[in-house]
Amino acid sequence: CAGGTTTNSAGSPTAVGPLPLARGKGANSASPITDWCGQQCSGENLSQEDVALLRLLDQVYDGDASERVDCADWEGYMMVETTNGCDNSALYGEIPPASFAELLRRFAVGRGHRFYDLGSGTGKLVTLAALMGLEAVGIELEPGRHRRATAARDALIRRGALRRGGWPRLVQGSILEYDFSDADLIFVDSVAFSPEMMETLARNAAKMKSGAKVVSYK
């Protein structure tokens, strides 16, 4: 599901991008993006267990985790933009969980690897990463999105479904201030981020270990 991959000669974190963006309800969720995902993420790298985990994720997201529903309210939305110092930086977008699952398989990450979703929204990707065995952390500032993520996680805990990789850690906070230097893989939906935001994230990413990967839209 990714575009080109580049690594500098110093062996610093690898940047992978761009990725297709699927916007939330009410936005222009152009079908070519969905078609691109369908063509690039064929499902060939997903096992029967992966498919079962995707179905489990569906159950705690109202029957269909691929349905893009934003839980932010106006006050929370504006709070995020004020904190980021960037208009439209709180816009909501997702990639389909099945596409993300295939991305994880293509990168050969799993048990023991640490994953961060910077701006984790309603928690679908970070929860799926935990179901697939990763040590998963999601950082989301907007309160409504964070509450939806914790509700889904707690529903899976009640089902006893989050034993394999442990519970995902869901943090309500700013992605610009969080230390993710121990990550093996980072995902950030940065399509609406300002150059200043990207510079801050890049400075923090420079502290990551050699071989870590950053998946971004920019």
Side-chain angles (χ1 to χ4, degrees):
C1 301
T5 302
T6 58
T7 306
N8 68 27
S9 58
S12 59
T14 302
V16 183
L19 292 177
L21 174 64
R23 293 189 179 275
K25 282 186 174 180
N28 181 18
S29 54
S31 58
I33 295 172
T34 303
D35 293 343
W36 191 99
C37 254
Q39 294 165 11
Q40 298 298 319
C41 301
S42 62
E44 293 178 356
N45 291 329
L46 298 182
S47 66
Q48 290 184 350
E49 181 183 8
D50 293 335
V51 173
L53 293 176
L54 287 164
R55 290 174 179 166
L56 184 60
L57 192 71
D58 283 341
Q59 293 173 19
V60 294
Y61 282 98
D62 302 320
D64 187 358
S66 65
E67 184 73 19
R68 295 172 292 279
V69 180
D70 189 4
C71 299
D73 60 26
W74 181 248
E75 289 184 359
Y77 186 97
M78 294 306 298
M79 181 265 290
V80 173
E81 294 201 342
T82 299
T83 301
N84 291 339
C86 174
D87 291 343
N88 298 321
S89 60
L91 287 173
Y92 190 67
E94 293 181 355
I95 64 170
S99 299
F100 177 71
E102 185 160 352
L103 182 148
L104 293 182
R105 293 310 185 206
R106 289 187 181 189
F107 284 167
V109 291
R111 184 183 295 275
H113 290 107
R114 182 156 294 180
F115 167 74
Y116 285 81
D117 186 353
L118 305 183
S120 51
T122 58
K124 295 174 185 176
L125 302 190
V126 68
T127 300
L128 180 58
L131 286 169
M132 295 177 70
L134 282 75
E135 298 177 15
V137 182
I139 301 107
E140 174 59 49
L141 186 56
E142 203 289 318
R145 296 169 183 168
H146 176 73
R147 285 193 297 270
R148 183 66 184 93
T150 56
R153 178 198 61 188
D154 293 348
L156 287 170
I157 291 172
R158 289 193 296 272
R159 293 167 180 250
L162 280 170
R163 292 170 292 186
R164 179 183 177 191
W167 300 354
R169 183 179 178 194
L170 301 172
V171 178
Q172 187 178 0
S174 170
I175 62 173
L176 302 177
E177 300 174 355
Y178 201 85
D179 180 6
F180 51 80
S181 58
D182 60 345
D184 295 289
L185 176 65
I186 284 177
F187 175 82
V188 54
D189 180 356
S190 58
V191 68
F193 288 4
S194 67
E196 292 77 14
M197 290 181 67
M198 295 303 295
E199 288 173 8
T200 298
L201 291 173
R203 284 195 298 270
N204 293 336
K207 302 173 186 176
M208 295 164 62
K209 60 190 174 184
S210 177
K213 295 180 174 63
V214 177
V215 181
S216 171
Y217 285 99
K218 290 185 178 179

